[in-house]
Amino acid sequence: MNQKTIQVEALESEAIYIFREVVAQFEKPVLLFSGGKDSITLVRLAQKAFFPAKIPFPLLHIDTGHNFPETIEFRDRLVKELGVDLIVRDVQDNINSGRVKEETGRYASRNMLQTETLLDAIEEFSFDACVGGARRDEEKARAKERIFSVRDDFGQWDEKNQRPEVFDMLNGRIDLGQNVRVFPISNWTELDVWSYIKKEDIEIPSIYFAHKRKTFLRDGFIWSADDAIVYRDKEEAVLERMVRFRTVGDMSCTAAVLSNAVDIAKVVEEIRDSSISERGARIDDKRSEAAMEKRKQQGYF
Amino acid sequence: MNVLKIATAGSVDDGKSTLIGRLLYDTKSLTDDKLAAIEEKSKQRGFDYLDFSLATDGLVAEREQGITIDVAHIYFSTRKKSFIIADTPGHIEYTRNMVTGASTAQASIVLIDARNGVVEQTYRHFFINNLLRIKEVVIAINKMDLVDFSEEKYNSIKGEIEYLASKSEYKNQQLTFIPMSALQGDNVVQKSNKMDWYGGETLLQHLEKLDAEDIHEFSQVRFPVQTVIRPKTKEYHDFRGYAGKIYGGDFAIGDKIVVLPSQTKSVIKSIHFFNEAFARAKNGSSVTITLEDNVNVSRGDMLVKINEEPTITKQLDATICWMDKEPLKALQKYYIKHGVNDAQAKITQVSSILKTDFSGKIENPSELALNQIGDVQLMLSKPLLIDGYHQNKSNGAFILINPKTNNTVGVGFIR
């Protein structure tokens, strides 16, 4: 006879509760999947929420076309294992059709362009809830985000007029055309996510671990130099360094950090001792103090 | 990892954001890049000190006006504990955001500007802490540097709060008074050398001692069903699991239970968490439960132990904190969300407005306006399975939703 007792830890229990509320309250939910560690963690939590049933919603990947190849390979393998549907929508399509204009210059990035493609996909499939892996500890505008965050037809976030969220009651009532962004790991920190990945032995893309990579330096950041996606001046010398990535965004806006953390245990250790915040290596946040808030108002994740 | 959730409250300019910034700074939780950004912005604005509020005021409008509008959640940990702080706004028009921040908190810090002493907002915040039955309340008497670190000043404020507490009906509250200067760092993380007369702990020492487990006040077990899991695969062809979170106690295989509202009796057959089965699941766990009998259970139903049934009723007496510009009035209809259960509610009577300075009630008001708290009676479209808020926090609270706007317009505490 089984004598084991389970105490689900508070953050995990909360995230599972939120996933179940999503499925109960919405008609067409979707999980926004970037191939990064946060969305991979979400996938594990969704599995846990509905086991032994399959995850009852598809994954949506907005592909900037500038992803690390390791991420895409990983994504396709994971989806196959889980037997869930994957929807991919390409930013490139909107660039080709002229709906959005590609940025140019030294800091050109497709990160901003994702928003338009995401909003198109939401409309195309009539998604009413988009589950994302944003956390409140990432950035100070995100620190203000609710767990159920209502967006209008234009995907806009009305930050000064958010619904009160009391106790664990989540109000998912919306009008036609609106949708809700849902953040089950709102209350997790970067260290919580890494500790969870370690504890659960979750596989993540190899670029999160230290590896040798051709890189160059700019503005104190380390950039990947191994293809044509990241703009580089002739004077910016390429050197092979031992690096890893702390976030897996678009290659054009994600800088690496010097690291010898070749496995998950060493990564957790490194994060614990780290003195640079996670998004410190995200150039899209450095554009201005309010960079994240502005993007969110326009419908960014 | 278990975390301690703390809410902060205080009037405008009492220095909440500064206090949180100070906590982050002194516990080395501000990373180099964030600190550099604060230094640069402080200099830009011509301050000769570090403006820690820049670390937490995340919205453009907040930085422009130098005030906190919405709740920010701030995360930090020491070697002993992890913390989530809800930095809530002090302005009276954002009281609803304060209730939001405090509703999930296990402890609360009420800031008082030592120069001004107890002001209207202090009463209100203290009142809300009582209404929410937050067990651990720290009264942080801040800006002591501006009153020459006066013990006399500290004692007079302490006396005022203690008098207030004597009028509250919630008697289990633990009050801790700490004199401090968040700006200069006295008694936040470092012990002050300017207040020898104070023999107590620093704020951080005190917070590290509080046990997060404490607030899971144990009561009768409630298991509201969120969704039914039916895989319909070959391997799990007949599996029918009830997914939900356990509140108030533990559930174990063999427990005799009643399904409400149908009153069907059954026995717990198995408890699942992901791909494992367990004999027992503890308070606060999100699990999936199966029953011995093939009974009809759907979302909003509740599993409870036999002889521990909650009240089943279509009428509610509740204290409501109103959060909408459009006032609450008798005869108006709203959606009510009680845990994971939904119904419609009609306001049958607004009995009184509670005065948040503990001076009593205004009987038979015509309405409850934004940020007012009052006793209200409601009639429901279907029976809900309720406890009093004082018996079971999660099963004793609800929200009201305006059917026209879909906004959450009020939070209720069942009496």
Side-chain angles (χ1 to χ4, degrees):
Chain A
M1 176 72 194
N2 180 357
Q3 289 301 326
K4 279 191 297 183
T5 296
I6 175 83
Q7 168 76 71
V8 185
E9 287 189 0
L11 292 174
E12 187 179 28
S13 203
E14 176 181 78
I16 291 172
Y17 169 86
I18 293 164
F19 265 116
R20 289 166 169 175
E21 281 306 289
V22 168
V23 165
Q25 292 195 37
F26 296 95
E27 305 263 325
K28 284 208 77 176
V30 67
L31 194 156
L32 303 177
F33 186 81
S34 69
K37 66 176 193 314
D38 297 309
S39 55
I40 293 168
T41 299
L42 282 185
V43 168
R44 171 58 58 92
L45 291 163
Q47 270 184 291
K48 289 195 171 191
F50 304 105
F51 194 89
K54 268 198 295 193
I55 296 175
F57 40 75
L59 310 187
L60 171 65
H61 184 208
I62 303 301
D63 191 342
T64 58
H66 287 179
N67 288 289
F68 294 92
E70 293 92 332
T71 314
I72 299 296
E73 186 193 302
F74 177 88
R75 174 197 77 189
D76 292 341
R77 205 150 30 84
L78 181 73
V79 165
K80 217 171 142 193
E81 271 171 34
L82 296 173
V84 294
D85 289 335
L86 171 73
I87 300 164
V88 180
R89 284 296 174 269
D90 296 302
V91 171
Q92 187 68 49
D93 293 346
N94 269 348
I95 295 172
N96 294 347
S97 69
R99 283 201 61 184
V100 295
K101 192 169 158 285
E102 176 119 53
E103 295 180 355
T104 53
R106 288 188 88 186
Y107 296 97
S109 163
R110 286 185 170 180
N111 193 51
M112 290 282 281
L113 306 184
Q114 291 179 90
T115 302
E116 205 57 37
T117 311
L118 171 66
L119 297 181
D120 288 350
I122 290 172
E123 203 166 311
E124 180 186 349
F125 294 95
S126 321
F127 291 128
D128 50 4
C130 302
V131 183
R135 308 187 320 268
R136 287 168 177 161
D137 81 320
E138 278 180 79
E139 203 277 339
K140 59 189 174 183
R142 286 221 156 130
K144 304 267 167 177
E145 185 73 85
R146 296 289 191 265
I147 288 171
F148 273 18
S149 179
V150 182
R151 306 301 168 95
D152 65 11
D153 282 317
F154 299 94
Q156 295 181 102
W157 181 49
D158 184 2
E159 77 287 355
K160 272 180 266 184
N161 218 348
Q162 300 195 78
R163 288 179 184 173
E165 241 166 33
V166 286
F167 301 98
D168 53 7
M169 284 174 281
L170 298 167
N171 173 6
R173 282 183 190 272
I174 47 171
D175 290 330
L176 204 63
Q178 290 183 320
N179 65 81
V180 171
R181 303 288 167 86
V182 181
F183 305 108
I185 56 169
S186 281
N187 286 324
W188 298 41
T189 62
E190 184 187 16
L191 182 59
D192 291 327
V193 172
W194 281 111
S195 306
Y196 189 72
I197 288 169
K198 181 174 172 226
K199 187 182 108 203
E200 294 282 316
D201 197 18
I202 300 172
E203 197 192 337
I204 51 171
S206 55
I207 56 167
Y208 278 117
F209 301 115
H211 56 281
K212 278 191 182 148
R213 184 176 281 265
K214 288 200 174 100
T215 54
F216 68 92
L217 294 178
R218 179 194 297 160
D219 309 332
F221 290 103
I222 304 166
W223 296 91
S224 185
D226 51 5
D227 39 41
I229 288 168
V230 188
Y231 176 91
R232 181 167 58 84
D233 286 338
K234 276 191 201 117
E235 299 78 42
E236 292 172 320
V238 174
L239 197 73
E240 195 170 76
R241 294 181 174 86
M242 192 70 171
V243 297
R244 62 177 208 88
F245 293 88
R246 282 179 79 177
T247 71
V248 178
D250 190 296
M251 277 178 83
S252 58
C253 70
T254 309
V257 291
L258 288 175
S259 169
N260 288 312
V262 292
D263 59 32
I264 184 73
K266 293 213 172 67
V267 170
V268 170
E269 226 168 273
E270 192 183 281
I271 302 288
R272 195 166 278 146
D273 301 339
S274 168
S275 66
I276 292 201
S277 74
E278 181 182 16
R279 293 194 80 91
R282 283 293 282 264
I283 309 313
D284 42 335
D285 291 345
K286 302 264 161 184
R287 291 187 172 191
S288 80
E289 198 187 357
M292 174 66 91
E293 185 181 345
K294 276 190 198 140
R295 274 181 295 155
K296 285 173 72 69
Q297 284 165 351
Q298 291 158 9
Y300 188 72
F301 305 132
Chain B
M1 198 188 323
N2 277 317
V3 293
L4 184 74
K5 289 190 184 174
I6 306 164
T8 58
S11 195
V12 189
D13 291 333
D14 281 351
K16 282 187 307 297
S17 300
T18 306
L19 173 64
I20 292 169
R22 169 58 70 182
L23 267 173
L24 294 175
Y25 183 71
D26 282 0
T27 55
K28 313 248 180 309
S29 310
L30 279 175
T31 52
D32 293 349
D33 55 327
K34 282 184 181 159
L35 192 57
I38 291 170
E39 277 166 3
E40 195 192 312
K41 284 281 157 193
S42 298
K43 213 186 292 165
Q44 238 177 49
R45 290 179 185 198
F47 298 149
D48 53 3
Y49 54 89
L50 294 181
D51 183 0
F52 291 122
S53 68
L54 293 169
T56 60
D57 286 341
L59 304 176
V60 175
E62 295 180 322
R63 289 190 295 272
E64 274 169 11
Q65 299 172 43
I67 58 165
T68 307
I69 292 174
D70 204 343
V71 184
H73 297 85
I74 293 112
Y75 303 78
F76 76 98
S77 37
T78 65
R79 258 171 299 168
K80 292 185 183 147
K81 218 175 189 74
S82 286
F83 300 93
I84 302 176
I85 298 187
D87 180 20
T88 62
H91 279 252
I92 194 155
E93 64 261 43
Y94 303 118
T95 300
R96 59 183 178 160
N97 293 332
M98 192 214 140
V99 174
T100 302
S103 70
T104 53
Q106 293 133 26
S108 166
I109 302 172
V110 177
L111 269 98
I112 295 177
D113 184 331
R115 294 171 304 174
N116 305 333
V118 176
V119 296
E120 194 199 340
Q121 277 293 81
T122 320
Y123 285 116
R124 176 181 294 268
H125 290 150
F126 194 66
F127 188 87
I128 290 171
N129 278 320
N130 278 280
L131 184 67
L132 286 162
R133 303 177 88 83
I134 295 176
K135 208 161 144 193
E136 294 284 348
V137 177
V138 176
I139 307 291
I141 302 173
N142 192 26
K143 305 199 183 182
M144 288 299 289
D145 52 316
L146 300 181
V147 295
D148 294 327
F149 299 100
S150 154
E151 183 180 9
E152 200 183 321
K153 196 89 201 171
Y154 165 84
N155 280 332
S156 100
I157 293 170
K158 183 169 178 245
E160 256 187 276
I161 295 286
E162 279 168 341
Y163 174 68
L164 269 189
S166 71
K167 294 209 242 175
S168 161
E169 54 179 89
Y170 176 45
K171 295 296 176 202
N172 280 340
Q173 197 162 59
Q174 303 291 322
L175 288 177
T176 306
F177 297 87
I178 304 176
M180 65 180 66
S181 164
L183 194 70
Q184 301 186 0
D186 293 83
N187 286 340
V188 179
V189 174
Q190 315 289 345
K191 180 100 181 123
S192 172
N193 55 17
K194 296 169 197 130
M195 290 178 273
D196 293 337
W197 48 264
Y198 172 73
E201 293 165 317
T202 67
L203 178 64
L204 187 69
Q205 282 171 339
H206 177 70
L207 295 178
E208 281 185 330
K209 262 184 24 194
L210 297 182
D211 192 359
E213 291 294 324
D214 257 351
I215 53 83
H216 291 294
E217 285 165 17
F218 286 87
S219 61
Q220 296 178 332
V221 190
R222 303 289 178 243
F223 187 78
V225 174
Q226 288 183 273
T227 181
V228 181
I229 293 178
R230 300 208 61 184
K232 293 176 186 160
T233 56
K234 240 186 215 160
E235 197 186 344
Y236 295 96
H237 189 75
D238 295 321
F239 187 93
R240 193 183 170 90
Y242 306 112
K245 190 169 168 182
I246 306 175
Y247 297 91
D250 299 356
F251 259 148
I253 290 177
D255 279 351
K256 295 190 174 77
I257 59 104
V258 195
V259 181
L260 297 173
S262 71
Q263 311 267 13
T264 322
K265 293 190 170 80
S266 189
V267 173
I268 292 181
K269 182 181 174 188
S270 63
I271 298 172
H272 303 264
F273 180 67
F274 194 28
N275 49 11
E276 279 188 86
F278 295 87
R280 174 177 287 273
K282 302 194 89 167
N283 187 15
S285 299
S286 286
V287 292
T288 301
I289 288 175
T290 69
L291 300 178
E292 289 288 357
D293 309 280
N294 195 3
V295 295
N296 188 6
V297 182
S298 56
R299 176 174 168 83
D301 289 356
M302 191 182 277
L303 312 187
V304 302
K305 289 182 183 167
I306 281 179
N307 296 328
E308 293 191 357
E309 286 93 349
T311 308
I312 303 179
T313 179
K314 281 179 81 170
Q315 295 198 345
L316 289 182
D317 275 336
T319 302
I320 286 181
C321 174
W322 195 245
M323 300 170 152
D324 199 39
K325 282 196 197 90
E326 199 182 299
L328 169 138
K329 286 182 185 157
L331 300 179
Q332 274 169 345
K333 282 184 186 167
Y334 301 95
Y335 292 124
I336 181 170
K337 182 178 274 297
H338 170 248
V340 303
N341 211 344
D342 294 294
Q344 290 183 67
K346 190 162 103 180
I347 309 297
T348 44
Q349 202 190 340
V350 184
S351 318
S352 59
I353 295 171
L354 307 181
K355 292 203 218 157
T356 51
D357 58 0
F358 295 90
S359 67
K361 300 173 175 185
I362 302 167
E363 301 289 347
N364 296 314
S366 59
E367 60 181 41
L368 209 55
L370 177 66
N371 294 320
Q372 283 185 330
I373 297 167
D375 288 340
V376 170
Q377 278 144 34
L378 307 94
M379 198 173 74
L380 308 172
S381 60
K382 70 170 199 195
L384 291 179
L385 316 158
I386 60 154
D387 290 298
Y389 183 75
H390 61 284
Q391 293 160 319
N392 186 315
K393 281 189 180 183
S394 58
N395 201 42
F398 61 84
I399 55 175
L400 293 178
I401 297 166
N402 181 327
K404 285 176 289 184
T405 61
N406 291 323
N407 277 332
T408 304
V409 288
V411 53
F413 306 88
I414 299 166
R415 285 203 307 273

